[in-house]
Amino acid sequence: SNLNIESVKDWAGRYWITKPTDLKKVLDKLAFEGGFIGKYRADGTFSYWFVKDSYAPSDIVHTIKKEDISKISIKNTSFGKLQTKMNINYEKHPAEDKYATNTTASNSSSRTRWDIKTRENIKEINLDAYVSPAIPTTPGSPNDDFYSYYDNIFGDIKLVVSGTLVNPKYYNLEAGDVVKFSDIGVDPFGYSWGFRAFMI
């Protein structure tokens, strides 16, 4: 299989199951707590996918232009999907129904930018498998830990581009592929497209 995981994503976990459990639920839980998705590609190979710390031009699979796509829609992620603060319980006790560690982590920049009040936009997260690295109180680089990873995805409003690909050369694109846009004809909300990587 194509193990698309950087060496810096060295999270540790321990997980036990003492009764019959749906395998899909277990795999989904481990994928969520590990910050990755596993999927079969069209060629039959199995790959692991996650958001990297940063993207270089060599990571781009294709550059999509205005003539390659129709019905293009450019919008921001919903304000309601922001996750700027999390109370995270982890290092689950092996015998008791409790967690050894609790950390409150928040993105103060996003909370200030979007004028989020003290008691708003707080999510409670229980991690049954995640053990380390320690969850920080503020986000670090995306793959440093569970909180930093999900803050990178949900901690601020992101740009979402959708449309219908009309150029057959792009019909083989799959979820997890990284693309960029060029010569679209409009700047997204006043920003330049520049080097912005988008994951399908």
Side-chain angles (χ1 to χ4, degrees), residues 51-72:
V51 178
K52 294 172 57 173
D53 285 338
S54 62
Y55 288 87
S58 59
D59 294 314
I60 302 298
V61 176
H62 288 293
T63 299
I64 298 171
K65 298 183 178 181
K66 185 177 183 179
E67 59 269 17
D68 300 320
I69 192 168
S70 70
K71 300 177 187 173
I72 190 165

Side-chain angles (χ1 to χ4, degrees), residues 80-169:
K81 292 188 178 180
L82 272 179
Q83 293 179 14
T84 58
K85 188 171 186 179
M86 296 180 189
N87 290 327
I88 303 171
N89 301 302
Y90 65 106
E91 288 190 283
K92 189 170 184 180
H93 193 284
E96 300 175 28
D97 190 20
K98 65 181 184 179
Y99 299 86
T101 307
N102 169 272
T103 301
T104 298
S106 67
N107 184 329
S108 59
S109 298
S110 287
R111 292 181 71 81
T112 300
R113 181 180 312 110
W114 302 111
D115 195 28
I116 297 171
K117 305 304 179 199
T118 304
R119 295 183 183 181
E120 295 176 345
N121 199 250
I122 303 170
K123 187 165 186 173
E124 190 82 19
I125 304 279
N126 293 326
L127 302 177
D128 294 340
Y130 185 93
V131 174
S132 69
I135 304 286
T137 56
T138 58
S141 293
N143 286 291
D144 284 356
D145 59 86
F146 175 89
Y147 173 69
S148 298
Y149 184 79
Y150 283 101
D151 175 74
N152 181 54
I153 299 171
F154 300 111
D156 206 347
I157 295 205
K158 305 288 185 174
L159 196 61
V160 177
V161 180
S162 61
T164 302
L165 288 170
V166 294
N167 187 336
K169 112 176 177 181

Side-chain angles (χ1 to χ4, degrees), residues 16-58:
W16 53 90
I17 302 169
T18 57
K19 60 184 179 182
T21 307
D22 184 297
L23 180 59
K24 184 179 183 317
K25 287 181 182 177
V26 172
L27 295 175
D28 287 346
K29 172 180 270 301
L30 294 175
F32 170 70
E33 295 192 23
F36 66 89
I37 60 169
K39 68 182 271 304
Y40 283 98
R41 297 189 62 88
D43 64 6
T45 60
F46 188 80
S47 299
Y48 293 98
W49 295 89
F50 66 99
V51 178
K52 294 172 57 173
D53 285 338
S54 62
Y55 288 87
S58 59

Side-chain angles (χ1 to χ4, degrees), residues 1-6 47-50 52 176:
S1 70
N2 173 21
L3 198 61
N4 185 25
I5 295 181
E6 297 174 322
S47 299
Y48 293 98
W49 295 89
F50 66 99
K52 294 172 57 173

